[in-house]
Amino acid sequence: MANFTISRRGLLKTSAVAGAGLAAPMVWRRPAYAYTNEPTGSSVILGFNVPQTGAYADEGADELRAYELAVEHLNGGGDGGMLATFSSKALSGAGVNGKKVEFVTGDTQTKSDAARASAKRMIERDGASMITGGSSSGVAVAVQGLCQEMGVIFMAGLTHSNDTTGKDKKANGFRHFFNAYMSGAALAPVLKSNYGSDRKAYHLTADYTWGWTQEESIAAATEALGWQTVEKVRTPLGAGDFSQYLTPVLNSGADVLILNHYGRDMVNSLTQAVQFGLKGKQVNGKNFEIVVPLYSRLMAQGAGEAVKGIYGSTNWHWSLQDEGSKAFVKSFGQKYGFPPSQAAHTCYVQALLYADAAQRAGSFNPCDIVAALEGFEFDGMGNGPTLYRAEDHQCFKDVLVVRGKENPTSQFDLLEVVDVTPAEQVTYAPDHPMFAGGELGQCNPGA
């Protein structure tokens, strides 16, 4: 005779009762239909894994604000935000698949090991059915790999390395944010128009996966214009003082400095470059210029006056006037008192995209989510018509080129959109050399 009970995690506990009345050892196994952290109660738990400390903590704080707003909207609170503008009408503000959305949080510390440990805790201890977040590509690649192993969906936050949906892509992972190749493709025509095709560039690059692929992408794009790359120098994440890396630029013969930095590193390196007198210096008969390939409003705010006239690219900006952007800016502003960053936007959108996929699929099974997101086309989320490409789980949409404003009207009005690069101009083949290696593989439900 056998007795059966179901645990809170969906594990089936069986004990065979021998004829003499002695119980056999307990055996734990999952029923065939189960998957990792299948919600069995009245709620589904999402894990928000963001940098609450470290070099990208400012981005992380805004990401967390956006996630909390998304949960509020999914559960019917507030004004609904982008639920009203999203082209998919599966979500109604009544939770997801009849379940209330709840969340737990973790601190990635902008460190891969800490991020994996945090995500693992949320999956194993808290029962998170999905992990999302991060402001570092090193973190994103590490956590994406973990989620593939453990059988949960990973909706990447702010990750810009080509590798996230290139050599390190995973079937359980999805990226809404744009990537380094797209930044290069969008920026190149604007740089040529404003600075010409006869330039010498010096790169300072964050020494990890994002920096490497950003350097590769922007160098390839500018060299195709006729620019010469004079030097490429790697800098440690969180360096703080970049003076030792900036001093050699002065005598290098370069007339453009490309800062492949993000977060506080970009704030510090750009501010110090301006203090060194590089901006406006005459070299090779030209004005010395500085380029920041990946921009954000938070970074511009941190760098202040130093951003004036500096070109870069961004995934989204709060000044956009489409209905989705206006709805999100309004909701976020009412709740927090200031406009959202691009980090906040992509994380809010990712939370809604996961919820929508689960609702359309009628399931939280990771493989059902993958099927619902692969090849999904949508609009109304602030970036125009967007495709989640099935081959690599990368979103393709318009990319913004921005420039630091000369005369900002407020502490938030620091960047102006100078070009909207259409999605087709930044689209590449799935087997492009910059994205080569690695296999998407099969979805893992984890059971």
Side-chain angles (χ1 to χ4, degrees), residues 418-441:
V418 297
D419 189 55
V420 179
T421 308
E424 55 266 26
Q425 188 174 316
V426 300
T427 298
Y428 50 87
D431 61 352
H432 188 284
M434 288 187 186
F435 298 83
E439 295 292 335
L440 188 66

Side-chain angles (χ1 to χ4, degrees), residues 204 242-250 257 269 272-273 276 278:
L204 292 183
F242 290 90
S243 57
Q244 64 177 306
Y245 303 105
L246 291 167
T247 301
V249 180
L250 295 168
L257 173 63
S269 62
Q272 292 164 26
F276 265 64
L278 289 175

